[in-house]
Amino acid sequence: MVPATVSNNVPGSDFSIGADTALNTITDAYESCLQLHEARSCFEEFCVPICVLPATISNNVPGTDFSIGADTALNAIVETCDRIKQSASGTKRRVFIIETMGGYCGYLANMGALAAGADAAYIFEEQFDIRELQANVEHLTEKMKTSIQRGLVLRNENCNENYTTDFIYQLYSEEGKGVFDCRKNVLGHMQQGGAPSPFDRNFGTKISAKAMQWISKKLKETYRKGKVFANTDDSVCLLGMRRRNLVFQPVAELKNETDFVHRIPMEQWWLKLRPLMKILAKYKTSYDVSDSGQLEHVAMHSPKEAETGAI
């Protein structure tokens, strides 16, 4: 018997044929382009125009506000949440705990919670502790005394390694005993299937056409003496949407805007909408539109930047 599986789960063998290939394949496209850019000084073959198109449901690509596939996944999450809430219309006092995908990026959980009218959304970018969980349980307890006797809580799959979906489900079930019962649902790969949304179809068409125009232009600009030689920073770009504009940004410049450990941008625009979700859930909070949406526990600010922000 010859071990051959990408899972590397054959007993009696430390490695299987295909496992190392699969491991090397699981790399981020953005990091790969950075490596290609850095290798240009040694390998002339890499001196060609390269354009990165953001395509992931997690919407965690630096340099763009949206990624192809994120809107389709978000629609699937909201539709599922609506179905779950409708199923609870005949049942009084029930809270649903729903786990979404997204890796360490909480875009799907946060925006899905905002669109579906959830009571809370737990994400990695905004750390939480047991006191906040307790406050959410108390909020739902008070909510059950009103005419709307159902609750919805979303959790990003990697928001916290200790406060797992099972832990939150058991906590809500125990603390809400006698007031409401609890159910949990892990959406899983259902978020990755289905037909693309109209936004994703149009967005994908637009950036693909623009990328081809850019590559054609760069090939003409860098063609010299019978060959293409492109070794400048602006010849390896990411095409993303920034404030409704399609913008080409050199990947070398985006390196400082990226948290490579968790594969998320240092700054994310949708974090500014977190207070709005709590206001709609009738929490006592305020909505500050001046919030920059930065990750406080990821982005390190220098004292000079802190003084400028204080002013």
Side-chain angles (χ1 to χ4, degrees), residues 9-275:
N9 59 348
V10 179
S13 177
D14 293 334
F15 295 99
S16 300
I17 300 173
D20 184 68
T21 303
L23 183 62
N24 283 288
T25 303
I26 306 173
T27 55
D28 188 80
Y30 174 65
E31 290 186 63
S32 300
C33 282
L34 276 176
Q35 293 171 2
L36 287 173
H37 176 265
E38 294 170 355
R40 283 177 160 187
S41 58
C42 301
F43 302 96
E44 186 177 327
E45 293 80 2
F46 294 150
C47 295
V48 293
I50 300 173
C51 184
V52 182
L53 301 184
T56 168
I57 67 167
S58 303
N59 198 31
N60 61 341
V61 180
T64 182
D65 294 338
F66 294 100
S67 300
I68 301 173
D71 185 69
T72 302
L74 183 59
N75 277 276
I77 292 171
V78 174
E79 182 181 357
T80 305
C81 289
D82 289 342
R83 288 172 179 264
I84 290 174
K85 289 170 64 178
Q86 187 178 11
S87 71
S89 59
T91 305
K92 300 294 183 181
R93 298 179 180 178
R94 178 164 290 177
V95 175
F96 293 90
I97 312 295
I98 299 177
E99 180 184 301
T100 67
M101 299 180 78
Y104 286 97
C105 182
Y107 173 81
L108 293 177
N110 185 78
M111 302 306 288
L114 181 62
D119 297 278
Y122 302 119
I123 61 175
F124 171 78
E125 290 88 347
E126 189 175 288
Q127 292 183 334
F128 59 95
D129 54 20
I130 193 67
R131 290 182 293 272
E132 184 170 347
L133 291 172
Q134 182 181 359
N136 292 334
V137 172
E138 293 173 354
H139 172 77
L140 285 168
T141 302
E142 292 298 319
K143 182 181 179 180
M144 295 302 165
K145 298 177 183 178
T146 65
S147 59
I148 305 177
Q149 297 184 344
R150 64 175 182 270
L152 186 67
V153 176
L154 271 68
R155 177 191 176 274
N156 170 251
E157 59 183 350
N158 289 336
C159 66
N160 192 292
E161 61 181 353
N162 295 316
Y163 299 137
T164 62
T165 302
D166 288 332
F167 176 87
I168 294 176
Y169 163 71
Q170 293 173 6
L171 176 67
Y172 273 66
S173 298
E174 181 64 26
E175 296 298 322
K177 189 176 294 183
V179 181
F180 59 82
D181 62 348
C182 200
R183 298 287 187 274
K184 67 176 179 178
N185 192 306
V186 179
L187 300 185
H189 287 79
M190 185 169 61
Q191 300 158 82
Q192 296 183 349
S197 66
F199 175 84
D200 276 337
R201 299 183 192 199
N202 293 330
F203 182 44
T205 302
K206 288 178 182 178
I207 64 173
S208 298
K210 198 171 182 67
M212 291 307 300
Q213 290 177 345
W214 180 85
I215 290 177
S216 299
K217 179 183 177 182
K218 286 294 180 182
L219 287 173
K220 293 178 181 178
E221 292 176 353
T222 57
Y223 183 79
R224 298 184 186 91
K225 298 181 180 180
K227 65 178 182 179
V228 174
F229 185 79
N231 64 343
T232 58
D233 287 346
D234 62 352
S235 61
V236 182
C237 289
L238 178 136
L239 175 56
M241 179 183 287
R242 281 285 178 92
R243 299 182 182 274
R244 299 185 181 181
N245 295 318
L246 296 180
V247 183
F248 290 95
Q249 300 160 94
V251 295
E253 296 179 4
L254 295 175
K255 188 175 182 180
N256 296 328
E257 302 178 16
T258 309
D259 175 13
F260 287 98
V261 177
H262 302 103
R263 295 193 174 188
I264 54 177
M266 293 285 192
E267 185 173 335
Q268 305 192 73
W269 62 270
W270 51 265
L271 285 174
K272 294 184 290 186
L273 301 176
R274 292 282 293 171

Side-chain angles (χ1 to χ4, degrees), residues 261-296:
V261 177
H262 302 103
R263 295 193 174 188
I264 54 177
M266 293 285 192
E267 185 173 335
Q268 305 192 73
W269 62 270
W270 51 265
L271 285 174
K272 294 184 290 186
L273 301 176
R274 292 282 293 171
L276 185 58
M277 182 194 66
K278 293 184 178 180
I279 291 173
L280 294 175
K282 298 184 178 180
Y283 283 88
K284 294 181 179 180
T285 184
S286 61
Y287 183 52
D288 183 10
V289 295
S290 64
D291 183 14
S292 63
Q294 291 180 335
L295 315 186
E296 295 181 359

